[in-house]
């Protein structure tokens, strides 16, 4: 405890000591030619800094929305505007407020008077600023807001937000598999050596959990874990169409014409070539994906229509903090 | 000295290995004769296939491996022969679009022979003129562009190349969609109807010479070259800005 107090006192003394600045030498002649104050430029700088702050706040506001059309574009626009306003403010400061003069001089040995001269030079260069505090406050506002805008997205990494919705999928026992036009998929119509995209009947197709990719094999070709033996009626398997790496759609199906010499069947994501083996419960056989595609257990009803026999084997889509902690569920 | 000798031996052996391809020196003109010369060592007697390396060696001692051809029909034979996919020097290679060693009559004779091995689909007769370009684009996007890229520039799947379609004829496209050559999935009529296939072919024909609304195709392969060009222009603009900022006002 005493050590902590010592440190705190030492830190306070340091802060106080730093605040006391040497009084400026007034009786020395000026080095920098005096410039006219330019209040209009100062107001302009202040306005630009506040605009930058407003744009950065705009970024945070846009980011806080859950679903917004063209959100990415607005985010880029807001941050870009904030940085552009700061840049213009600095340009105005440099062009119209800081006294500029070009001098040529040989390097001299470091000397205390030379250092004082430099200090004086810096101080006098700021002579034209009449509202220093106001501008400083503007600068702080812009820097603070932009800093916050850069930091806020990091909140999405943490457990602050409720990730419950990410576990939700529309699949439950009995939900029919339909094609993009809403027509139910019949077991007998599913052919081998091709692939189908199906959706949960009645669900929004845009939901990450809705689309599945359906492929058919000879039942003898499938090597599913023992617990999933009944998940593939007639050799038909269904996996989430959303890649577990970055959430792209599994759009590629590789099927060998002559398996003796050709690579085996695979579901492939075109974004980063994550490759999954559909005959082995979508095990990752290549690429950056960290876990297999969630498998949807299937069943066939009396009319030969493919139906889900439950929810996915795991959460759908790219990973988030604690992705493996809970099984997928249905929205309540 | 020993190394020099080894290089010499390899140099002598290479042309000999290159010459050891099926069918070299075959004079036959009939389908069956050509088949015996060029195809038999991999596809077996009467298209029965060679599915194991323990099979006796074929013509010229080649260790052939190939799928059976009974029932594939004229459709598959026409596709693999007109594209030059077959004959293939090494059964482990991916077949590529090359110039066929056969002339038109020889291809026709071979196709007729393979078709006679078993009942199979005929060569399709697509009519891209009846197709709808806009529908073709959306179908191509949905079924084909994942591998072949949106303007059919080709791409990759793991372990293989999805070929560009610049040289594909309408008949070859129709055949490929139905048979799914090499690692491509096949698309039965229940997935892509003949009318939809016409539209897809119409779109591929258009994509061979697209409009390039930007005026500059930049390879038509997407964000990498486009980004490169944007960066080059952007970097020049940034340098210009720096120069402008650093310039003094003339008072």
């Amino acid at each position: 405890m005493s050590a902590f107090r010592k440190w705190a006192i030492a830190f306070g003394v340091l802060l106080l000591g730093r605040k006391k600045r040497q009084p400026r030498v007034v009786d020395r002649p000026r080095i920098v030619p005096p410039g006219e104050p330019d209040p209009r430029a100062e107001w302009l700088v202040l306005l630009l800094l506040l605009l930058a702050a407003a744009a950065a706040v705009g970024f945070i506001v846009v980011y806080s929305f859950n679903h917004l059309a063209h959100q990415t574009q607005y985010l880029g626009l807001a941050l870009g505007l904030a940085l552009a306003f700061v840049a213009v403010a600095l340009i105005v400061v440099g062009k119209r407020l800081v006294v500029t003069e070009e001098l040529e001089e040989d390097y001299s040995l470091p000397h205390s008077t030379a250092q004082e001269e430099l200090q004086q030079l810096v101080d006098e260069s700021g002579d034209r600023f009449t509202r220093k505090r106001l501008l400083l406050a503007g600068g702080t506002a812009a820097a603070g807001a932009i800093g916050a805008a850069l930091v806020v997205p990091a909140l999405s990494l943490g457990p602050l937000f409720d990730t419950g919705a990410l576990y939700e999928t529309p699949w439950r026992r009995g939900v029919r598999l339909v094609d993009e036009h809403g027509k139910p998929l019949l077991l007998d119509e599913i052919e081998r050596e091709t692939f189908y995209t199906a959706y949960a009947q009645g669900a929004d197709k845009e939901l990450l959990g809705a689309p599945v990719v359906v492929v058919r094999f000879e039942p003898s070709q499938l090597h599913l874990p023992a617990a999933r033996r009944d998940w593939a009626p007639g050799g038909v398997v269904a996996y989430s169409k959303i890649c577990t790496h970055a959430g792209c759609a599994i759009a590629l199906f590789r099927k060998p014409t002559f398996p003796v010499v050709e690579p085996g069947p695979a579901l492939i994501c075109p974004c980063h070539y994550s490759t999954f083996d559909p005959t082995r419960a979508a095990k990752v056989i290549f690429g950056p994906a960290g876990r297999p595609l969630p498998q949807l257990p299937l069943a066939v009803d009396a009319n030969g229509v493919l139906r889900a026999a439950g929810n996915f084997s795991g959460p759908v889509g790219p990973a988030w903090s604690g992705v493996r902690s809970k099984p997928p569920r249905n929205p309540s | 000295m020993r190394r020099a000798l080894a290089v010499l031996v390899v140099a002598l052996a290479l042309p000999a290995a290159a010459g050891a391809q099926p069918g070299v020196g075959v004079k036959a003109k009939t389908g069956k004769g050509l088949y015996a010369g060029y195809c038999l060592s991999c596809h077996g007697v009467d298209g029965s296939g060679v599915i194991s390396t323990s099979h006796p060696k074929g013509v010229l001692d080649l260790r052939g491996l190939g799928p059976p051809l009974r029932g594939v029909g004229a459709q598959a034979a026409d596709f693999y022969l007109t594209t030059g996919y077959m004959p293939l020097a090494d059964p482990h290679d991916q077949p590529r679009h090359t110039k066929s060693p056969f002339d038109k009559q020889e291809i026709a004779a071979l196709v007729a022979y393979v078709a006679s091995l078993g009942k199979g689909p005929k060569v399709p007769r697509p009519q891209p003129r009846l197709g709808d370009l806009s529908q073709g684009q959306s179908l191509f996007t949905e079924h084909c562009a994942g591998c072949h890229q949106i303007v059919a520039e080709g791409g990759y799947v793991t372990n293989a190349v999805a070929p560009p379609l610049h040289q594909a004829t309408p008949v070859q496209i129709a055949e490929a969609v139905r048979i799914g050559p090499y690692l491509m999935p096949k698309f039965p009529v229940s997935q892509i109807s003949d009318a939809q296939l016409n539209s897809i072919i119409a779109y591929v024909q258009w994509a061979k010479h697209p409009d390039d609304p930007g005026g500059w195709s930049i390879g038509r392969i997407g964000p990498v070259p486009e980004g490169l060009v944007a960066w080059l222009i952007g970097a020049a603009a940034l340098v210009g800005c720096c120069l402008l900022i650093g310039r003094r006002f003339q008072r």
Side-chain angles (χ1 to χ4, degrees), chain A residues 9-320:
Chain A
I9 290 168
F11 188 66
V13 169
L14 192 73
L15 277 183
L16 283 174
R18 280 180 66 97
K19 272 229 160 164
K20 270 196 183 159
R21 291 180 71 186
Q22 294 276 330
R24 212 175 108 192
V25 196
V26 268
D27 50 355
R28 286 169 61 128
R30 284 190 69 94
I31 305 171
V32 177
E36 285 291 303
D38 194 345
R40 281 181 55 202
E42 281 177 300
W43 283 116
L44 183 62
V45 170
L46 187 68
L47 179 72
L48 286 166
L49 289 175
L50 291 181
L51 283 174
V57 168
F59 176 93
I60 297 173
V61 170
V62 174
Y63 191 84
S64 64
F65 277 102
N66 215 356
H67 295 286
L68 189 67
H70 310 298
Q71 191 174 23
T72 318
Q73 283 81 348
Y74 288 133
L75 287 176
L77 193 70
L79 204 55
L81 273 178
L83 295 176
F85 280 131
V86 170
V88 177
L90 290 177
I91 292 171
V92 174
V93 167
K95 288 270 187 205
R96 292 187 51 186
L97 287 174
V98 175
V99 186
T100 49
E101 194 195 18
E102 222 168 81
L103 290 173
E104 216 172 89
E105 205 179 297
D106 287 336
Y107 278 113
S108 59
L109 288 168
H111 197 268
S112 63
T113 50
Q115 283 179 3
E116 276 168 25
E117 234 174 64
L118 195 67
Q119 173 79 47
Q120 195 186 345
L121 213 76
V122 171
D123 286 346
E124 285 175 13
S125 295
D127 267 359
R128 295 171 73 188
F129 289 100
T130 55
R131 296 176 185 82
K132 267 184 200 168
R133 282 191 174 174
L134 198 57
L135 285 179
L136 210 63
T140 312
I146 291 177
L150 296 179
V151 170
V152 159
L155 290 178
S156 301
L157 295 172
L160 242 89
F161 289 113
D162 179 21
T163 52
L166 299 173
Y167 291 95
E168 287 171 4
T169 86
W171 295 101
R172 59 171 56 132
R173 174 177 283 278
V175 172
R176 283 200 273 194
L177 277 74
V178 295
D179 68 8
E180 57 177 51
H181 307 296
K183 196 172 133 301
L185 260 65
L186 298 172
L187 176 69
D188 290 344
E189 287 179 358
I190 305 292
E191 301 202 28
R192 290 188 193 89
E193 305 195 322
T194 184
F195 69 125
Y196 301 81
T197 300
Y199 304 87
Q201 191 174 42
D204 179 6
K205 290 192 185 70
E206 299 289 318
L207 286 178
L208 267 198
V212 290
V213 52
V214 178
V215 276
R216 184 170 200 170
F217 295 99
E218 291 284 354
S220 62
Q221 283 180 283
L222 290 173
H223 305 280
L224 298 175
R228 300 189 191 177
R229 280 282 145 71
D230 313 330
W231 288 19
V236 178
V237 280
Y239 300 99
S240 164
K241 200 181 165 75
I242 308 302
C243 183
T244 52
H245 169 234
C248 295
I250 304 291
L252 279 56
F253 176 55
R254 184 179 84 183
K255 79 100 193 65
T257 296
F258 184 51
V260 182
V261 295
E262 293 171 14
L267 292 166
I268 305 168
C269 172
C271 288
H272 309 96
Y273 292 109
S274 288
T275 306
F276 306 89
D277 185 346
T279 63
R280 294 174 192 276
K283 187 176 155 237
V284 182
I285 49 176
F286 181 81
R291 54 199 175 95
L293 296 173
Q295 185 176 357
L296 185 74
L298 294 179
V300 183
D301 68 12
N303 299 322
V305 174
L306 283 170
R307 288 174 185 264
N311 210 328
F312 282 113
S313 60
V316 169
W320 58 87

Side-chain angles (χ1 to χ4, degrees), chain B residues 81-87 95-101 167:
Chain B
L81 289 167
T82 57
T83 52
Y85 274 24
M86 296 288 149
R96 304 289 181 104
H97 201 296
T98 44
K99 200 182 172 314
S100 174
Q167 295 169 293

